[in-house]
Amino acid sequence: MALSRRTFTAAAGAAALGLSLSASAGTGSGTPSGPGHSAPTGPPPPPPMADGRRHTVGFDRYSLLVDGRRLVLWSGEMHPFRLPSPSLWRDVLQKMRAHGYNAVSIYVAWNYHSPAPGQYDFTGVRDLDLFLRQAAETGLYVILRPGPYINAEVDAGGFPGWLTATKARARIFDPTYIAYADEWLTAVDAIVARHLYTRGDGTVLLYQIENEYYAYVTRPPGLDYMAHLYAKVRADGIDVPLFHNDQSRHGYWTPGSFDTGGERGRWLYGFDGYPAPDEVPPDWGHFGIGGQKGGATASPDTPGFVPEFGGGWFDPWGGVEFDGAGYAGSARTRGAAYERRFYLTNLANGITVHNVYMTFGGTSWGWLPAPQVYTSYDYGAAFDEGRRATPKVVPMHQIGQLVRCVPELAKLDPAGDAEYITAEGGTAGGVTGAAGRIKVYHLTNPDTHAHVYVLRNDSTRPVTSALPVAGASLPVTVPASDARLLAAGITLGRRKLAYSNAQPMLWLTAGHQDVAVLTGRAGEATVTALECASEPTVTVTAGDAESSYANGLVRVTARLGGLTRVLVEGGGVSAPLLLLLADDETSVRLWPRETPAGSMLVYGPALLRTAELRGDSLRLTGDTVEATELEVWAPDGVREVVWNEGELRMSVTGSGSLRAERPLAGVSGVALPSLRGWRRQVENPESEPGFDDSKWTVADRTSTFSTTPVPAGQPVLFADDYGFHYGDVWYRGSFTDATGLRSVSLGYSTGTQGLLMAWLDGAPLGTHRMPVPDKRTVRKGSWAAKATFDVPEKARTSGRHVLSVLVRRMQHDMDGRTQDTHKAARGLTSATFAGASPAVSWRLQGAAAGAADPVRGPLNTGGLYGERSGWHLPGYGDGGWPVVDLPRAERPRQGVTWYRTGFRLAVDPGVDASIGLVLADDPGRAYRVQIFLNGWNMGQYVNDVGPQHTFVLPNGVLRTRGANTLALAVLSDGTTVSGPGEVRLTLLGSAAGGVEVADVPSPGR
C-alpha cells in the first residue's frame, strides 16, 4: 500500500530524528523470526531496572528475546487512574512483583489527562512519569497502552469529553481526529520515551496502538489510520516492539497486514479472550484450530501473545451479571481453579506473553466509569479493590515464579496431540471434559529435551489416573474443574528432576546449597524423583516424607501440609539440594529475591516488599498480618537480618537457613470512629422561578456533530455542545402563556441509569428514570427516552413560566464499534407540548471544562448547585446548616439534599489499613448518593439499584492520621421516603508494614 501523505510526513519526521525504522538497526531492533535466528534455551534476563545500559528487545515464534535471552512475560493489568493516590501505586506494584509477576500493563486514558483541546495534565494523580519510575524501581517491565482509544470500561472509551463536540470522526484516518490524536500521542510519548528499556532509562518493553479495532480492517480509513499511528509512535522515538490487541481472535492486524514504513520484525500480533467459567478452556495456539481465527496461529512467526486474558469480569448496574453478588461473584466463579485451568492451558498453547486483565481493578471514581459499570472496578481480580491479596493470588504466585525459574517454558513444542488419560490409567479419545478423564498436553523443549505436561480436568468431580513419564507410571489427581502443570527433565540447580506429581514453583541457589520448591493442594500425596548417579544422603527435617533409592533415582514421597523439608546431599553432586514441598497456603509465604550477591528465599511473612544487602546485613521490608516466623536462605556472608528497620536475633537451622528467634509481630488493631455530627442542607434553587440564570449558557446552537439528530424546529440542547461533559446538567426554559397547556414531553439521552427531573414554576412535575439493565442490555451504553408530565390545572395561565429540568446524564458510550457513538447526545434532547405551543428560550448549566478542579480534574464534579458552590470541599463553612442524625427517613422530596460531617483517624504508623465506607438502607427507597471524601468524588451509590454498598477510600485521599471531611449529595426522585440510611466506616483489611503514603492534595474553600 502506498503511504498516505500524513503517514509519509510522520515517517520523515522519524528519519529526521535519526531513528532507524529498519529491523536491522537501532538500539531496539529485535531478532527477526525464521530459521537460523532461534535463541537457545537459557537463563532469562535479570529483573529489569533503569540501569543506563542499552538493551535489545526482539522476538521469535517462541518468546520475547531481551538481550538475546528468552523471556516469558507474566504480566498483570492495573490502571493508575483507578487509584488516585500515587503512593499506593508502589504498594500494588510491589505486591505484583513479590507474587511472581514480571510485568505490569497499563492503559493511559486520554480523558483523564486532557480537560480541553491542547491541554494535557500529567501532574499529581496523573503523574505518568512517576508511575513509570516506580515500576522500574520495583523491577517490573511495562506494557504501555495509550490508545488513542482504550475501551477499559471508562467514559467514552477514554476519549476526552471535548472530543464529542468536534467534527472529528474518531478511529479512522480523518484529518481532524488525526490531528487531535497526534497531539495526545505527542504528550504521552514525550514521557514514555524517557522510560524505554531499550535505552536503559526505564522498563517500558512493549507499546500498544489502538485497541480491539475491528472496523475498516481491509479498507483505507482503517489501514491508513493504523499505518499513521505506527509511524507517529516511531517518529516520537518509541523504539520498542509495537502491537495491537485483536478483539476475539479475528486475525486482524497481523504482521504485514498494514504499512509499517518498511520496518520488519518489530510488530507483534496480540489477541484477547474472556472465556466464561463454564466453558472448556480454548486452545488458542499450538493445539488450536489454526489459521486466522486460531489465536496465536494467525501469526506463526511471532510468540503467542494475549494482551488481555480474563482475570475476572465487570459487573453492570443492578448486578445482573453475578445475580446481585457483585464482584464477590466474579471472584468466586473465576477463582483459583479457573486460573489454573485457563492460564495453564494458555501456557500449553505457546502463549508466552500473557497479561491478566485485571490483576488490580481499583475504583472508577468520579465520572470516570463507562455507562455500563458502577464505581467499583474490583473485577474479581487477584488483588481486590482494597489492595488485598485474594485466594486468586495463589496460582498467579506459583505460575509467576515457575516461568521465571524454568527457562524451558519459553521454548516448547508439542510432543503430539493432546490426549486423555482415564481413571483406569489408559489413553482414550473422547469429548473434552468427559467424566473420568484428564486431558493431557505434552510438550518438550527442543534444546534441553525437558518435558512439560499440563493436565486438565473439565468434569465436576476429581479424577485420579496414572501418567506415563520417564518410564514410570506417575499417579496424578486433578481436582474437579482444575488443572496442574508437571515437569520432567528440568534442572533444579545442580540436579535434574526426573519427574514429580507436584507442580514445580521455583529453584534458586542460596549460599552453598540449591533450594527447590514444589507445590500442590493440602493433603495430597506426592512423589518426586531426582536423578542421582549414586545413592545420596536424604534427611527429612520437617513434614511427613520418606525416601528411597533405586536405578539412579532418589524418590521422595510426601503428603503435603505446611512446608515439608527434605535435604538431599551427595549422590555424585557437590552441592546439597533442599527440597521444599509446600501446600498452596504455604507457597504464598515463600518469597524468592535476587540480589547482586546472589539469590535468596524468605519464608514466613504475608509479603516481602524489598530486600537489600549492605555488607553482611540483609535488610528486608514487608508486611505481616498475624504474628509469624521469619526464615531466610541467604547468600553466603549474611550475618545480620533487619526487618522493617528492626534488627532481629537469628539462629542457624538444619536446613541451612537463618531463622528469627522470635516471631515477627502481627498488625495492631485499628479503631474506626462512628460518623456523627452530620449537618444537612437542601439545594436545587435552580427549580425556583425566581432563580437568576442570567449567567448560564444560552442554548442557541442549531447544528451539532453529535450522532443524535436534532428534532426539527428545536435548538440543540445537548450538554456536550455547550462544554458540559461530565456529571449533572441543569436546564431552564422560559416561556409565556401556558393557557391550555395539558402536558410537556421531554426527550432526553443518557448513559445507563440516567434520570430526568422536571419542575414547572418551582412545582415538581415528576422524575423519569432509565430502566435497570438486564442480561440482554448490560452492554448498552446509550439510553434515550421521552418523559411526559401532566401540567397542573393551576399552572395553565398566561404570563411568564419557567420549566426547570435536571438531567443526571451519566457517561458517554464507549464506541467499541467505531461508529462515533461516544458522540450520542447527553442531556435534554427535545421539549414538546400538548394543548399549546409556547416559544421556549433555554439556558443550561453544568460543570464546564474550563472551570474544572485543577487538582482533582474535570471528572470529579458535575453541575449540582452544591458542587458549583463548593459544598463538597473541605473547609466549606457549613456551620449554619442544621445538625441531624443518621439514619434518616426523609419525607418524599424531588431534588438534592446534602449531608456533611468530619471525622478523625489515628491509625498507628507502620500500619496499612484499607478503609471503606458502607451505605445501606431499605432497597425500596429511591435515591442515590454521590460520595465526596475531602472533596474527591469517590463514587455513586444507587440505593434501589445496587449492587455496590461498600466504597473504598484510598489512603492518601483518606487521611489515616488526621481530619477528614465527608459530604454526601443525595438525589431523591420524590416517589418514596429517602435516606441516607446507615452510613459507617469499615475496615477492609490491615497489615503491619505497607508503604509510606503521602497525602493527596485536597484543596478546599
Side-chain angles (χ1 to χ4, degrees):
M1 182 189 76
L3 285 174
S4 68
R5 185 178 177 210
R6 195 162 198 86
T7 303
F8 177 80
T9 301
L17 289 171
L19 172 66
S20 171
L21 295 182
S22 71
S24 59
T27 61
S29 65
T31 304
S33 56
H37 294 288
S38 183
T41 299
M49 64 178 70
D51 57 11
R53 301 175 181 176
R54 296 278 178 162
H55 298 277
T56 62
V57 182
F59 52 84
D60 64 9
R61 69 184 182 91
Y62 290 108
S63 71
L64 293 176
L65 298 169
V66 174
D67 296 328
R69 298 164 75 172
R70 294 200 174 278
L71 174 70
V72 177
L73 205 66
W74 192 248
S75 172
E77 186 90 10
M78 74 163 289
H79 299 150
F81 54 80
R82 283 189 161 113
L83 184 55
S85 177
S87 301
L88 297 183
W89 298 343
R90 187 183 299 275
D91 173 71
V92 175
L93 292 171
Q94 287 182 345
K95 287 172 177 173
M96 290 176 62
R97 169 78 164 83
H99 280 291
Y101 297 86
N102 58 15
V104 59
S105 172
I106 65 166
Y107 278 131
V108 189
W110 189 355
N111 58 1
Y112 193 64
H113 295 274
S114 182
Q119 296 181 24
Y120 298 95
D121 186 355
F122 290 92
T123 64
V125 297
R126 294 167 292 278
D127 192 342
L128 177 62
D129 187 85
L130 173 62
F131 180 87
L132 295 177
R133 290 202 309 272
Q134 291 183 1
E137 291 162 1
T138 307
L140 290 171
Y141 294 108
V142 177
I143 302 174
L144 196 92
R145 310 205 290 159
Y149 176 81
I150 63 171
N151 185 288
E153 283 78 58
V154 295
D155 180 74
F159 287 148
W162 55 261
L163 191 69
T164 65
T166 70
K167 67 181 293 186
R169 173 69 192 279
R171 307 186 72 190
I172 65 169
F173 193 80
D174 170 85
T176 304
Y177 169 71
I178 289 294
Y180 288 135
D182 279 359
E183 197 175 75
W184 162 242
L185 292 175
T186 296
V188 173
D189 292 345
I191 297 170
V192 177
R194 300 197 297 267
H195 296 274
L196 298 173
Y197 190 59
T198 47
R199 300 180 185 180
D201 298 325
T203 56
V204 174
L205 191 74
L206 301 174
Y207 182 113
Q208 177 178 315
I209 59 175
E210 248 289 342
N211 185 61
E212 295 181 334
Y213 184 58
Y214 55 91
Y216 306 104
V217 175
T218 60
R219 290 183 282 170
L223 293 170
D224 288 354
Y225 174 47
M226 291 293 285
H228 174 84
L229 293 179
Y230 191 102
K232 166 60 181 169
V233 170
R234 288 294 190 229
D236 286 346
I238 308 303
D239 63 357
V240 297
L242 308 181
F243 70 96
H244 172 265
N245 176 36
D246 185 13
Q247 187 207 48
S248 302
R249 301 152 309 283
H250 296 293
Y252 296 157
W253 311 116
T254 56
S257 62
F258 68 101
D259 190 348
T260 56
E263 187 176 50
R264 299 287 183 268
R266 306 291 295 140
W267 174 258
L268 287 161
Y269 171 69
F271 59 92
D272 64 21
Y274 292 87
D278 57 357
E279 292 182 37
V280 173
D283 290 320
W284 289 334
H286 288 322
F287 295 93
I289 61 174
Q292 285 294 102
K293 296 187 180 296
T297 58
S299 180
D301 293 329
T302 62
F305 183 8
V306 182
E308 295 181 25
F309 197 91
W313 189 246
F314 68 81
D315 196 32
W317 284 107
V320 69
E321 186 70 36
F322 302 108
D323 298 322
Y327 283 114
S330 176
R332 183 180 65 254
T333 56
R334 293 165 172 82
Y338 173 94
E339 292 177 313
R340 284 188 290 265
R341 282 179 75 216
F342 286 84
Y343 303 166
L344 289 177
T345 298
N346 286 347
L347 197 59
N349 272 268
I351 308 300
T352 58
V353 188
H354 191 280
N355 181 55
V356 177
Y357 187 105
M358 300 291 294
T359 289
F360 168 75
T363 305
S364 297
W365 58 279
W367 295 105
L368 180 67
Q372 292 87 341
V373 295
Y374 48 89
T375 299
S376 175
Y377 200 66
D378 178 280
Y379 217 76
F383 298 99
D384 69 16
E385 190 180 2
R387 299 176 288 111
R388 299 171 299 176
T390 72
K392 295 180 63 168
V393 159
V394 172
M396 305 306 297
H397 183 92
Q398 294 171 348
I399 301 171
Q401 313 295 353
L402 171 72
V403 300
R404 180 181 59 85
C405 293
V406 180
E408 286 89 348
L409 296 173
K411 189 177 182 181
L412 289 174
D413 292 319
D417 294 335
E419 295 185 328
Y420 294 90
I421 55 174
T422 68
E424 292 73 35
T427 60
V431 178
T432 302
R437 291 175 178 161
I438 298 172
K439 187 168 186 176
V440 179
Y441 298 88
H442 181 193
L443 303 108
T444 60
N445 182 283
D447 300 327
T448 68
H449 307 294
H451 295 260
V452 172
Y453 303 85
V454 170
L455 286 70
R456 198 181 73 220
N457 178 7
D458 295 318
S459 72
T460 56
R461 59 190 178 95
V463 176
T464 297
S465 187
L467 179 71
V469 177
S473 182
L474 187 64
V476 292
T477 298
V478 183
S481 301
D482 211 326
R484 66 192 331 146
L485 180 145
L486 307 181
I490 64 171
T491 58
L492 299 178
R494 281 156 282 198
R495 298 179 190 267
K496 182 169 285 189
L497 176 71
Y499 56 79
S500 178
N501 60 1
Q503 181 169 303
M505 183 173 113
L506 65 90
W507 73 265
L508 52 82
T509 298
H512 70 286
Q513 69 178 352
D514 297 324
V515 182
V517 179
L518 289 86
T519 67
R521 313 296 88 77
E524 287 184 340
T526 65
V527 56
T528 301
L530 302 169
E531 295 182 7
C532 289
S534 59
E535 184 171 2
T537 300
V538 180
T539 307
V540 178
T541 62
D544 179 11
E546 296 179 346
S547 68
S548 62
Y549 179 78
N551 302 319
L553 297 178
V554 59
R555 286 167 52 92
V556 176
T557 57
R559 188 167 297 276
L560 296 183
L563 191 63
T564 301
R565 305 162 186 244
V566 181
L567 185 63
V568 182
E569 299 175 283
V573 179
S574 59
L577 170 69
L578 178 64
L579 183 64
L580 301 177
L581 298 164
D583 61 19
D584 286 344
E585 182 179 356
T586 304
S587 72
V588 290
R589 296 170 59 205
L590 286 162
W591 309 103
R593 191 57 62 109
E594 303 82 7
T595 75
S599 299
M600 54 174 286
L601 182 66
V602 175
Y603 171 59
L607 179 70
L608 178 68
R609 292 183 180 274
T610 65
E612 181 186 5
L613 269 174
R614 297 182 187 173
D616 63 358
S617 176
L618 178 58
R619 308 183 71 84
L620 307 175
T621 68
D623 296 359
T624 59
V625 178
E626 307 292 340
T628 183
E629 61 186 305
L630 176 72
E631 189 172 1
V632 182
W633 288 270
D636 288 334
V638 171
R639 300 289 180 266
E640 177 185 78
V641 177
V642 176
W643 174 260
N644 288 347
E645 303 301 322
E647 185 177 343
L648 304 176
R649 291 178 62 88
M650 309 294 289
S651 58
V652 179
T653 74
S655 297
S657 63
L658 298 171
R659 178 180 291 158
E661 295 182 359
R662 293 184 179 180
L664 302 178
V667 65
S668 58
V670 176
L672 299 179
S674 298
L675 298 177
R676 305 180 185 276
W678 291 93
R679 292 183 179 272
R680 172 185 179 273
Q681 183 66 279
V682 297
E683 58 136 284
N684 50 280
E686 302 95 334
S687 64
E688 298 300 324
F691 178 81
D692 181 8
D693 61 14
S694 61
K695 294 183 180 179
W696 284 21
T697 301
V698 176
D700 56 3
R701 293 180 178 270
T702 58
S703 63
T704 179
F705 294 114
S706 172
T707 55
T708 302
V710 180
Q714 302 251 350
V716 174
L717 297 173
F718 313 158
D720 286 300
D721 285 81
Y722 298 95
F724 307 128
H725 303 303
Y726 305 111
D728 298 301
V729 61
W730 274 97
Y731 296 83
R732 284 172 56 87
S734 299
F735 62 94
T736 57
D737 194 359
T739 304
L741 182 60
R742 299 190 304 273
S743 66
V744 56
S745 295
L746 301 172
Y748 75 114
S749 178
T750 72
T752 308
Q753 280 305 286
L755 62 74
L756 174 148
M757 294 177 172
W759 294 258
L760 182 60
D761 300 332
L765 293 178
T767 296
H768 186 280
R769 297 173 53 169
M770 298 299 181
V772 179
D774 55 23
K775 289 194 175 183
R776 181 181 57 85
T777 57
V778 291
R779 292 176 179 269
K780 184 177 178 181
S782 286
W783 301 69
K786 182 172 287 188
T788 299
F789 304 106
D790 293 333
V791 174
E793 185 74 34
K794 63 181 180 180
R796 302 174 186 177
T797 63
S798 60
R800 181 178 181 270
H801 297 274
V802 177
L803 178 61
S804 301
V805 180
L806 173 63
V807 180
R808 176 144 292 180
R809 42 172 292 151
M810 304 306 276
Q811 293 91 2
H812 303 90
D813 184 76
M814 289 189 290
D815 192 28
R817 298 180 180 274
T818 316
Q819 296 175 344
D820 263 5
T821 52
H822 62 291
K823 291 184 175 183
R826 290 295 182 261
L828 200 59
T829 57
S830 67
T832 57
F833 304 88
S837 301
V840 183
S841 58
W842 289 99
R843 291 179 181 268
L844 68 162
Q845 178 64 53
D853 185 324
V855 173
R856 301 176 181 94
L859 294 158
N860 193 63
T861 54
L864 295 181
Y865 181 85
E867 292 174 298
R868 304 196 313 269
S869 302
W871 291 6
H872 63 298
L873 296 174
Y876 178 79
D878 59 9
W881 292 14
V883 177
V884 297
D885 293 324
L886 297 185
R888 296 280 293 178
E890 294 275 0
R891 64 178 178 81
R893 174 182 178 269
Q894 179 175 288
V896 183
T897 306
W898 284 75
Y899 299 83
R900 284 173 55 93
T901 191
F903 63 93
R904 297 189 68 88
L905 294 174
V907 178
D908 289 344
V911 171
D912 178 11
S914 181
I915 296 170
L917 185 74
V918 175
L919 289 85
D921 205 345
D922 176 352
R925 295 181 176 182
Y927 69 93
R928 54 186 66 188
V929 183
Q930 286 188 79
I931 301 163
F932 292 94
L933 175 68
N934 297 326
W936 291 82
N937 183 343
M938 295 316 305
Q940 185 175 179
Y941 169 75
V942 183
N943 182 67
D944 55 338
V945 174
Q948 185 175 5
H949 289 271
T950 300
F951 294 79
V952 174
L953 308 177
N955 299 344
V957 175
L958 178 71
R959 308 315 196 217
T960 58
R961 294 185 59 78
N964 297 275
T965 299
L966 181 63
L968 307 178
V970 179
L971 179 65
S972 53
D973 68 10
T975 62
T976 70
V977 171
S978 69
E982 179 187 22
V983 181
R984 61 180 172 85
L985 299 173
T986 185
L987 182 64
L988 302 174
S990 61
V995 297
E996 185 176 351
V997 178
D999 287 344
V1000 176
S1002 297
R1005 301 288 279 203

